[in-house]
Amino acid sequence: MLPWDHELAGELHHETIESELLRGNPLGDPHVRPLWVYTPPGYESDDRRYPAIYVIQGYTGHIGMWANRTPFRQPFIETADAVFARGEAPGCILVYVDAWTAYGGSQFVDSAGTGAYHSYLCNEVVPWVDAHFRTIAAPASRGISGKSSGGFGAMITPMLRPDLFGALATHAGDALYEYSYLNEFAKTVRALRDYDHDILKWWADFRGRTPFTKEHDQLLVLTLGCAAAFSPDPDGTPRLPVDPRSGELIPELWERWLAWDPIRMIDRYADALRSQRAIWIDAGTRDEWFLDLGAEAFRQGLARIGVPDERVHFELFPAAHGGIDYRYPQATAWLAHRLER
Amino acid sequence: MLPWDHELAGELHHETIESELLRGNPLGDPHVRPLWVYTPPGYESDDRRYPAIYVIQGYTGHIGMWANRTPFRQPFIETADAVFARGEAPGCILVYVDAWTAYGGSQFVDSAGTGAYHSYLCNEVVPWVDAHFRTIAAPASRGISGKSSGGFGAMITPMLRPDLFGALATHAGDALYEYSYLNEFAKTVRALRDYDHDILKWWADFRGRTPFTKEHDQLLVLTLGCAAAFSPDPDGTPRLPVDPRSGELIPELWERWLAWDPIRMIDRYADALRSQRAIWIDAGTRDEWFLDLGAEAFRQGLARIGVPDERVHFELFPAAHGGIDYRYPQATAWLAHRLER
Amino acid sequence: MLPWDHELAGELHHETIESELLRGNPLGDPHVRPLWVYTPPGYESDDRRYPAIYVIQGYTGHIGMWANRTPFRQPFIETADAVFARGEAPGCILVYVDAWTAYGGSQFVDSAGTGAYHSYLCNEVVPWVDAHFRTIAAPASRGISGKSSGGFGAMITPMLRPDLFGALATHAGDALYEYSYLNEFAKTVRALRDYDHDILKWWADFRGRTPFTKEHDQLLVLTLGCAAAFSPDPDGTPRLPVDPRSGELIPELWERWLAWDPIRMIDRYADALRSQRAIWIDAGTRDEWFLDLGAEAFRQGLARIGVPDERVHFELFPAAHGGIDYRYPQATAWLAHRLER
Amino acid sequence: MLPWDHELAGELHHETIESELLRGNPLGDPHVRPLWVYTPPGYESDDRRYPAIYVIQGYTGHIGMWANRTPFRQPFIETADAVFARGEAPGCILVYVDAWTAYGGSQFVDSAGTGAYHSYLCNEVVPWVDAHFRTIAAPASRGISGKSSGGFGAMITPMLRPDLFGALATHAGDALYEYSYLNEFAKTVRALRDYDHDILKWWADFRGRTPFTKEHDQLLVLTLGCAAAFSPDPDGTPRLPVDPRSGELIPELWERWLAWDPIRMIDRYADALRSQRAIWIDAGTRDEWFLDLGAEAFRQGLARIGVPDERVHFELFPAAHGGIDYRYPQATAWLAHRLER
């Protein structure tokens, strides 16, 4: 196998979708979006309908990065294809959705700060895919998977829309916010000492120079983007949920973040979760955002509300947050076996 | 000046105090305690009364460590002495109090898990010192200072006992627990994977071998000791305020910790804080427990309840948590000028 | 500008070259190689000849990675194109050469361990490009640039072949081996404790599982690949230049590495270096392999042998080893102004 | 056992020695030196003669630090005493020698930069101890032990003076300088960018402020002190063995360091090493200066020159460089059994 190139057994369709919901979004991001749809081997020659797995990305990811090649590894597009090509799992359609924003991401929610990315995904992308590809257009045959912020999206989207999604996979998905975000807030407060305690001053600086050349850029763009997603002002301005000098939590804003913590959503969306056929949860044991703890808490919460163990795959594996793309095809195969067809 | 030895201008009295309150403490720690009392130059030759500053230690500290010598530096006993010897501040009595326990510390609170260390300090040590040395036995002439857990003790003791203490200095004192402790909990949960998720199994292991030879010993002894101080069972057994697998907070136990967060105590003890003549707050800008944020939050809280700015010294300086003993004599001098005499 | 896509002002030609020199190489790597050739805006419409800059990659890089997209940044292919499109520098042909091997790289040398990659570059790629594109086929109009191992290649190739290359740019290029490699050897020795002190046992393990899932994979693949390049046995087996238990240097093998240290090559190749029209040297001040020191030593060495200062651009900038691709177009523009046309 | 205090079974004599050799030393350090001599239980009541083990310290150590108390541990003075008190080993006299200098240490060599500390130890301290205590004044009954720089001293002193020392213990002793020092030089070069590339400018700064409040203080004081020990100018000025901008080694100075590398001394002092009755070598597997590799190289070297295995104790244990004082009494007991009595 060549490291720089690989022929797929299935086919990757580079599509474009014009979104009404993203038109005029607050950040001026494109409303004409790329959408990559993978059809498995056999799709072209038969006329069967296939389950679909929607694939979403982590923070700062955009669709173009799925094509990136890293040393000694193949991209997920190819490793997923291999799952089907080798017959390890029955064929699925994979839908690569882009929800990037100028802040680096949308958290797959509808927000005054970034745009209606949740609705875009559910009300525009899903129907478009069902209209253009031979999917089985039912929740039992539709899953969603992702890593990090994408794992978060994969947890919350089926909670909000069990009428659309009946299975999910979360790899190191954002959860248990007291561990994943508070540490970031503390570091943000320190980083902002160089910016008059004002993250928007940092943002102005960041946009005017080569990005990621200052130590705290990665941290601050994530904090800013999540603030835009979770606690924007009505006019869309991102608001940090902490005092920018001391880090003291601002309860009414922090509550808005917590309302999006998958762990804290479990009881509110218990029926939706109980309707899922298959839930894959994994994370690295050294995850820098302690998302292994979030994974464990999600698993415990599912058990508590009565999701049967046999519908859940839970695994902690020795790794940090990065470089875990080799896990994705394992979840894809597992879901492919469990989606109704 | 010799690095290994130094003659004090004042005098250090190595005393012993027999505590009724610590007798029969739950950990079987000694109730006969060392107490070091420093009298400044001139004390022996005059008959004046002097203000007193009580000095307490950080976690894992015991009184014997005040004599430790570190490279290129002098111990605080000597640098404090130098403040008075050089005339930088008027003389004070310094009282070095031991509140060590078998877990490494007591947090200077009364607890079923460790013993009545708060009462020991306030109801036994203070009267004993007043009886045996020429102190000015009034809160306006009595201060308390410490670093880390000692800074915590220096914040809370005057809140609880403004009738005894009228000034304080906190160096990197524990505060704003969502930043100082939650991260530790997350790491604790991970560390306990090797101990069946049971901190008492770790403790049994720790006691049976050379301490601090395993990576997580430092972390776990602090977590355990704080659990003993803040959330013991009625029988004294330390209880972690989190699920030991997921780290999910156990609200009723975590609330007991938060009740001891100096930031959250400010409003409850506003009168006591407003009664203080002098409050020194400092911390390193890179403190590993984010106690610089706690320092800032404490300062903001004091301003909010109306403590006049001129009574507060606030300073963040470039440092981490360790190696900041050179700050102590600066606070000692500052307090010495402000204590009533 | 869309983050996932960009139209070039120039044109990128995806070519393939069949190498006689790489045929039957010891690792069984492909001898039919991809070669990407960029022609600047205007190339299609005029009939002028252009200078060419060869672009080579760091360790573990292969040509496909030039297309990778990273957050908030554009690939070099696009940022270089922008240099020409905006008229910041006169047009050049850019030649993206692949010298990947199964070990992750070739160091751009001829070696019994990997293959004749130096000769491939000089004797096959260069003539092929000159035959198929309108280059100015003279050293004064031919440069070479790269980062890390690619920077190393950009330093040594013109030393060895001044008849071909008359300009170079090295970004954090490997140099001053006592700092860049010895530390790696020490860590390698430790890592090999888990593999019976035998790097080939690690290699067998690495090839049989998901790569880069063990802590030391990155370290060991680099050590192994460099040993294959610099100190292979006559039969091609990589030999570490150290005792695998103690790390003691094996002088005769370490000398073979040092013979490839650009700093130690300066005097041997002084004429070749003095023949260069333009030499760009930069590195990040926090480079993990201390290549900032290597950069400074290279600069000092050039001055010592009489390379005029005005032919040299030297710069240390605040960065570590990673994420410095934004520097490449700066060097490209600088070289483009200095190559003869 | 109380953490702050402990009664010895033996006795610690705080002595003072007036050195002729250190009088007028180049740094103006005291020539009247403290010397602590421990006599084991029984010494006072019998009239036997005892073997002696000289104990020396790591860099920045001075004799007063032996009294330091650290959390949950006892000082070596007490743990060594316990070895004898519990009958684990026959009694020895322990001689705690001070070889501190204003730079933080002397490396136990005679140097124009610091003074004649090797001769002080061998020609003044040893005879003085033999004259004042009931030692068995023969090399077979005299050992030396130390950690870090003290381990270095414990390796080289018996090499230079086998007529005095016949046994040694090195804990993480400095050795294999290409790994222990080169990395430090690279970091030194970087640190000196803030001091016009001049370590003496840093030294002037360091002496004028609170020590160890700047990030690189620890690094630079070690580099400076070793340069004073190993490569001073004839007038005593420390000379770094590297170009202060590039880090390039200055061969004639670096050779002076290497002449003091215990690994490179083995063959020169093979007879002296073969005369040793007992050689304890240990180090932590994660030692920050790679002294575990130095330990292994020392062991291999001893085997190569024919030191019988049964005279050598070699052990790597899981630890970094710090906090390994619990190893010292193990070596003390082992030596005590092997010294002639």
Side-chain angles (χ1 to χ4, degrees):
Chain A
M1 182 183 307
L2 296 176
W4 44 75
D5 207 6
H6 182 67
E7 186 112 352
L8 295 178
E11 192 169 343
L12 188 67
H13 309 262
H14 291 79
E15 307 287 348
T16 298
I17 180 168
E18 184 166 346
S19 166
E20 288 310 308
L21 289 163
L22 297 184
R23 191 190 298 272
N25 66 71
L27 296 174
D29 289 320
H31 73 286
V32 178
R33 287 284 169 136
L35 182 74
W36 295 357
V37 183
Y38 166 88
T39 51
Y43 181 92
E44 300 298 329
S45 54
D46 63 30
D47 57 1
R48 281 189 291 149
R49 291 195 164 267
Y50 287 84
I53 302 172
Y54 286 69
V55 184
I56 55 181
Q57 292 174 295
Y59 206 76
T60 71
H62 61 66
I63 201 166
M65 294 184 196
W66 284 115
N68 286 355
R69 309 191 81 83
T70 58
F72 291 89
R73 289 193 181 173
Q74 287 178 272
F76 173 61
I77 289 168
E78 297 175 11
T79 56
D81 175 69
V83 162
F84 303 122
R86 290 194 299 252
E88 291 172 13
C92 285
I93 290 169
L94 303 182
V95 184
Y96 296 89
V97 181
D98 187 89
W100 173 89
T101 76
Y103 290 145
S106 66
Q107 297 301 83
F108 311 97
V109 301
D110 289 349
S111 153
T114 53
Y117 286 88
H118 170 70
S119 297
Y120 164 67
L121 168 58
C122 293
N123 299 340
E124 293 187 325
V125 175
V126 170
W128 190 95
V129 170
D130 287 339
H132 290 77
F133 289 86
R134 297 199 314 276
T135 59
I136 305 169
S141 304
R142 194 185 288 113
I144 183 166
S145 73
K147 180 221 167 180
S148 194
S149 288
F152 166 76
M155 283 184 276
I156 64 159
T157 306
M159 290 200 225
L160 299 170
R161 297 298 300 271
D163 59 310
L164 293 182
F165 292 97
L168 71 92
T170 168
H171 305 285
D174 305 350
L176 211 55
Y177 285 5
E178 54 271 54
Y179 299 121
S180 57
Y181 283 124
L182 288 188
N183 210 33
E184 303 298 291
F185 292 164
K187 291 186 282 183
T188 293
V189 165
R190 284 183 176 170
L192 293 180
R193 288 172 183 160
D194 291 337
Y195 295 92
D196 289 343
H197 311 282
D198 182 352
I199 198 166
L200 295 176
K201 287 201 179 168
W202 165 80
W203 178 241
D205 171 61
F206 177 80
R207 293 175 76 183
R209 57 172 169 84
T210 306
F212 299 121
T213 48
K214 291 192 181 172
E215 186 188 354
H216 301 300
D217 284 353
Q218 195 87 41
L219 166 73
L220 294 176
V221 80
L222 173 66
T223 307
L224 180 64
C226 290
F230 296 145
S231 54
D233 276 344
D235 70 357
T237 308
R239 291 278 311 278
L240 295 190
V242 298
D243 179 283
R245 287 169 183 270
S246 71
E248 269 192 280
L249 291 164
I250 301 168
E252 61 274 20
L253 295 177
W254 179 230
E255 282 303 324
R256 290 172 65 188
W257 287 56
L258 290 178
W260 282 112
D261 182 350
I263 307 309
R264 290 164 169 90
M265 292 171 74
I266 288 172
D267 289 305
R268 262 185 294 145
Y269 295 94
D271 285 339
L273 286 165
R274 281 187 291 255
S275 79
Q276 301 296 304
R277 306 170 66 82
I279 299 179
W280 173 289
I281 310 164
D282 69 15
T285 51
R286 307 185 304 268
D287 189 285
E288 290 85 348
W289 286 271
F290 295 114
L291 299 175
D292 47 335
L293 275 64
E296 174 71 47
F298 195 56
R299 183 187 73 81
Q300 288 188 6
L302 295 180
R304 189 183 64 243
I305 62 166
V307 174
D309 281 357
E310 61 270 21
R311 290 200 209 149
V312 177
H313 176 92
F314 175 75
E315 196 177 350
L316 301 185
F317 52 93
H321 194 69
I324 64 172
D325 50 279
Y326 71 96
R327 305 284 310 179
Y328 310 169
Q330 301 177 32
T332 301
W334 189 84
L335 290 178
H337 279 291
R338 281 154 187 82
L339 288 170
E340 196 168 78
R341 63 182 71 227
Chain B
M1 180 182 308
L2 295 175
W4 44 77
D5 207 6
H6 183 64
E7 186 109 354
L8 296 178
E11 192 168 342
L12 188 67
H13 308 263
H14 291 79
E15 307 287 348
T16 298
I17 181 168
E18 184 166 345
S19 166
E20 290 309 309
L21 289 162
L22 296 184
R23 191 189 298 273
N25 66 71
L27 296 174
D29 289 319
H31 73 285
V32 179
R33 287 283 169 139
L35 183 73
W36 295 357
V37 183
Y38 166 87
T39 51
Y43 182 90
E44 299 299 329
S45 54
D46 64 29
D47 57 1
R48 281 188 292 149
R49 291 194 163 268
Y50 287 84
I53 302 172
Y54 286 69
V55 184
I56 54 181
Q57 293 174 296
Y59 205 75
T60 71
H62 61 67
I63 200 166
M65 295 185 197
W66 284 116
N68 285 356
R69 309 191 79 82
T70 58
F72 290 89
R73 289 193 181 174
Q74 288 178 272
F76 172 60
I77 288 169
E78 298 175 12
T79 56
D81 176 69
V83 162
F84 303 123
R86 290 194 300 251
E88 290 172 12
C92 285
I93 290 169
L94 303 182
V95 184
Y96 296 89
V97 181
D98 187 90
W100 174 90
T101 76
Y103 288 145
S106 65
Q107 296 300 86
F108 312 96
V109 302
D110 289 347
S111 153
T114 53
Y117 286 88
H118 170 69
S119 297
Y120 164 67
L121 169 58
C122 292
N123 298 341
E124 294 188 325
V125 176
V126 169
W128 190 95
V129 169
D130 287 340
H132 290 76
F133 289 86
R134 297 201 313 277
T135 59
I136 305 170
S141 303
R142 195 184 288 112
I144 183 166
S145 72
K147 180 222 168 178
S148 195
S149 288
F152 166 75
M155 284 185 277
I156 63 157
T157 306
M159 290 200 224
L160 300 170
R161 295 299 300 271
D163 59 312
L164 293 182
F165 293 97
L168 72 92
T170 167
H171 305 285
D174 305 350
L176 210 55
Y177 285 5
E178 56 270 55
Y179 299 122
S180 56
Y181 283 124
L182 288 188
N183 211 33
E184 304 297 291
F185 293 163
K187 291 186 283 183
T188 292
V189 165
R190 284 182 176 170
L192 293 181
R193 287 172 184 160
D194 291 337
Y195 296 93
D196 289 342
H197 312 283
D198 182 352
I199 198 165
L200 295 177
K201 287 202 180 170
W202 166 81
W203 178 240
D205 171 60
F206 178 80
R207 293 176 76 183
R209 59 169 168 84
T210 305
F212 298 120
T213 48
K214 291 193 181 171
E215 187 188 354
H216 301 301
D217 284 352
Q218 195 86 42
L219 166 73
L220 294 177
V221 81
L222 173 67
T223 307
L224 181 64
C226 289
F230 296 146
S231 55
D233 277 344
D235 71 357
T237 308
R239 293 280 308 280
L240 294 191
V242 297
D243 179 285
R245 286 170 184 270
S246 72
E248 268 192 280
L249 291 165
I250 301 169
E252 60 274 22
L253 296 176
W254 178 231
E255 282 303 324
R256 291 172 63 187
W257 287 55
L258 290 179
W260 282 112
D261 183 349
I263 306 310
R264 289 163 170 90
M265 293 171 71
I266 289 172
D267 290 304
R268 264 187 292 146
Y269 296 95
D271 284 340
L273 286 166
R274 280 187 293 256
S275 79
Q276 301 296 305
R277 306 169 66 81
I279 298 179
W280 174 289
I281 310 163
D282 70 15
T285 50
R286 306 185 305 269
D287 189 286
E288 289 85 349
W289 287 270
F290 295 115
L291 299 176
D292 48 334
L293 275 62
E296 175 71 46
F298 195 57
R299 183 187 74 80
Q300 288 188 8
L302 295 179
R304 189 184 65 243
I305 62 165
V307 174
D309 281 355
E310 61 271 21
R311 292 202 207 147
V312 177
H313 176 92
F314 175 74
E315 197 177 348
L316 300 184
F317 53 94
H321 194 68
I324 66 172
D325 51 279
Y326 73 95
R327 304 284 311 176
Y328 310 169
Q330 302 177 32
T332 302
W334 189 83
L335 290 178
H337 280 291
R338 280 157 187 79
L339 289 169
E340 196 170 76
R341 62 182 72 225
Chain C
M1 182 183 309
L2 295 176
W4 45 75
D5 207 7
H6 183 65
E7 185 112 353
L8 296 178
E11 192 168 342
L12 188 68
H13 309 262
H14 291 78
E15 307 287 347
T16 297
I17 180 169
E18 184 166 345
S19 167
E20 289 310 309
L21 289 163
L22 297 184
R23 190 190 298 273
N25 65 71
L27 297 173
D29 289 320
H31 73 285
V32 178
R33 288 283 169 136
L35 181 74
W36 294 358
V37 182
Y38 166 87
T39 51
Y43 182 92
E44 300 299 328
S45 54
D46 64 31
D47 56 3
R48 282 190 291 148
R49 292 193 163 267
Y50 288 83
I53 302 173
Y54 286 68
V55 184
I56 55 181
Q57 291 173 297
Y59 206 77
T60 71
H62 61 66
I63 200 164
M65 296 185 196
W66 283 116
N68 286 356
R69 309 192 78 83
T70 59
F72 290 90
R73 289 193 181 173
Q74 289 178 271
F76 173 61
I77 289 169
E78 297 175 11
T79 56
D81 176 68
V83 163
F84 304 122
R86 291 194 300 253
E88 291 171 14
C92 286
I93 290 169
L94 303 181
V95 184
Y96 296 89
V97 181
D98 187 89
W100 173 90
T101 76
Y103 289 145
S106 66
Q107 298 300 85
F108 311 96
V109 301
D110 289 348
S111 153
T114 52
Y117 285 88
H118 170 70
S119 296
Y120 165 67
L121 169 57
C122 292
N123 298 339
E124 295 187 324
V125 176
V126 169
W128 190 96
V129 170
D130 287 340
H132 290 77
F133 289 87
R134 295 200 316 276
T135 59
I136 306 171
S141 303
R142 194 184 288 114
I144 183 165
S145 72
K147 180 222 169 180
S148 195
S149 288
F152 166 76
M155 284 186 275
I156 63 159
T157 306
M159 289 199 224
L160 299 170
R161 297 296 302 270
D163 58 312
L164 294 182
F165 293 97
L168 71 92
T170 167
H171 305 285
D174 305 350
L176 211 55
Y177 286 4
E178 55 269 56
Y179 298 121
S180 56
Y181 283 123
L182 288 188
N183 210 34
E184 302 299 290
F185 292 163
K187 290 187 282 184
T188 293
V189 165
R190 284 183 176 169
L192 293 181
R193 288 172 184 160
D194 291 338
Y195 296 92
D196 290 343
H197 312 282
D198 182 352
I199 198 165
L200 295 177
K201 286 201 180 168
W202 166 80
W203 178 240
D205 172 61
F206 178 80
R207 294 175 77 182
R209 57 172 169 83
T210 307
F212 298 121
T213 49
K214 292 195 181 170
E215 187 188 354
H216 301 300
D217 284 353
Q218 196 85 43
L219 165 73
L220 293 177
V221 80
L222 173 66
T223 306
L224 181 63
C226 289
F230 296 146
S231 54
D233 277 343
D235 70 357
T237 307
R239 292 281 308 280
L240 294 191
V242 298
D243 179 283
R245 287 170 184 269
S246 70
E248 269 191 280
L249 292 165
I250 300 170
E252 62 273 22
L253 295 177
W254 178 232
E255 282 302 325
R256 290 171 65 186
W257 287 55
L258 291 179
W260 282 111
D261 182 350
I263 306 310
R264 289 164 168 91
M265 292 170 74
I266 289 174
D267 290 303
R268 263 186 294 146
Y269 295 94
D271 284 339
L273 287 165
R274 280 187 291 257
S275 79
Q276 301 296 304
R277 305 170 66 83
I279 299 177
W280 173 289
I281 310 164
D282 69 14
T285 51
R286 307 186 302 270
D287 189 286
E288 290 85 348
W289 287 271
F290 295 115
L291 299 176
D292 47 335
L293 275 64
E296 175 71 47
F298 195 57
R299 184 188 72 80
Q300 288 188 8
L302 295 180
R304 189 183 64 242
I305 62 165
V307 174
D309 281 356
E310 61 270 22
R311 291 200 208 150
V312 177
H313 176 92
F314 176 74
E315 197 177 348
L316 300 185
F317 52 94
H321 194 69
I324 65 172
D325 50 279
Y326 72 96
R327 305 283 311 176
Y328 310 169
Q330 301 177 32
T332 302
W334 189 83
L335 290 178
H337 280 291
R338 280 156 187 81
L339 289 168
E340 197 168 76
R341 61 182 73 228
Chain D
M1 183 181 308
L2 296 176
W4 43 78
D5 206 6
H6 183 63
E7 185 110 354
L8 296 178
E11 192 168 342
L12 189 67
H13 308 262
H14 291 78
E15 307 287 347
T16 297
I17 180 169
E18 184 167 346
S19 164
E20 289 309 309
L21 289 162
L22 296 183
R23 191 190 296 274
N25 66 71
L27 296 174
D29 289 321
H31 73 287
V32 178
R33 287 284 168 139
L35 182 74
W36 295 358
V37 182
Y38 166 86
T39 52
Y43 181 92
E44 299 299 329
S45 54
D46 64 28
D47 57 2
R48 280 188 293 148
R49 292 194 164 268
Y50 287 84
I53 302 172
Y54 286 69
V55 184
I56 54 181
Q57 292 173 296
Y59 206 75
T60 71
H62 61 68
I63 200 165
M65 295 184 196
W66 283 116
N68 285 356
R69 309 192 80 82
T70 59
F72 290 89
R73 289 194 183 174
Q74 289 178 270
F76 172 60
I77 289 169
E78 298 175 11
T79 55
D81 176 68
V83 163
F84 303 121
R86 290 194 300 252
E88 291 172 11
C92 286
I93 291 170
L94 303 181
V95 184
Y96 296 89
V97 181
D98 187 89
W100 174 91
T101 75
Y103 289 145
S106 66
Q107 297 300 86
F108 311 96
V109 300
D110 290 347
S111 153
T114 54
Y117 285 88
H118 169 69
S119 297
Y120 164 67
L121 169 58
C122 293
N123 299 340
E124 295 187 324
V125 176
V126 170
W128 190 95
V129 170
D130 288 339
H132 290 77
F133 289 86
R134 295 200 314 277
T135 58
I136 305 170
S141 303
R142 195 184 286 113
I144 184 165
S145 73
K147 181 223 168 178
S148 195
S149 287
F152 166 76
M155 283 185 275
I156 63 159
T157 306
M159 289 200 225
L160 299 170
R161 296 297 301 269
D163 58 312
L164 293 182
F165 293 97
L168 70 93
T170 167
H171 305 285
D174 304 350
L176 210 56
Y177 285 6
E178 55 270 55
Y179 298 121
S180 57
Y181 282 124
L182 288 188
N183 210 33
E184 302 299 289
F185 292 162
K187 292 186 281 183
T188 293
V189 164
R190 283 183 177 169
L192 293 181
R193 287 171 184 159
D194 291 338
Y195 296 93
D196 289 343
H197 312 283
D198 182 353
I199 198 165
L200 295 176
K201 287 202 178 170
W202 165 80
W203 177 241
D205 172 60
F206 178 80
R207 295 176 75 183
R209 57 170 169 83
T210 306
F212 298 120
T213 48
K214 291 194 180 171
E215 186 188 355
H216 301 300
D217 284 353
Q218 196 85 42
L219 166 73
L220 294 177
V221 80
L222 173 66
T223 307
L224 181 64
C226 289
F230 296 146
S231 55
D233 277 343
D235 71 357
T237 308
R239 293 281 307 281
L240 294 190
V242 299
D243 179 285
R245 286 170 185 271
S246 71
E248 269 192 279
L249 291 165
I250 302 169
E252 60 274 21
L253 295 177
W254 179 230
E255 282 302 325
R256 291 172 63 187
W257 288 56
L258 290 179
W260 282 112
D261 182 349
I263 306 310
R264 289 163 170 90
M265 292 171 73
I266 289 174
D267 290 304
R268 263 187 292 145
Y269 295 95
D271 285 340
L273 286 165
R274 282 187 291 254
S275 78
Q276 301 295 306
R277 305 170 67 82
I279 299 178
W280 173 288
I281 309 164
D282 69 13
T285 50
R286 307 185 304 269
D287 189 286
E288 289 85 348
W289 286 271
F290 295 114
L291 299 176
D292 46 335
L293 275 62
E296 174 72 46
F298 195 57
R299 183 186 73 81
Q300 288 188 7
L302 295 180
R304 190 183 64 242
I305 61 165
V307 175
D309 281 356
E310 62 269 23
R311 292 201 207 147
V312 177
H313 177 93
F314 175 74
E315 197 177 349
L316 300 185
F317 52 94
H321 194 69
I324 65 171
D325 50 279
Y326 71 96
R327 304 283 311 175
Y328 310 169
Q330 302 177 32
T332 301
W334 190 83
L335 290 179
H337 279 292
R338 280 158 186 79
L339 288 169
E340 197 170 75
R341 63 183 70 224

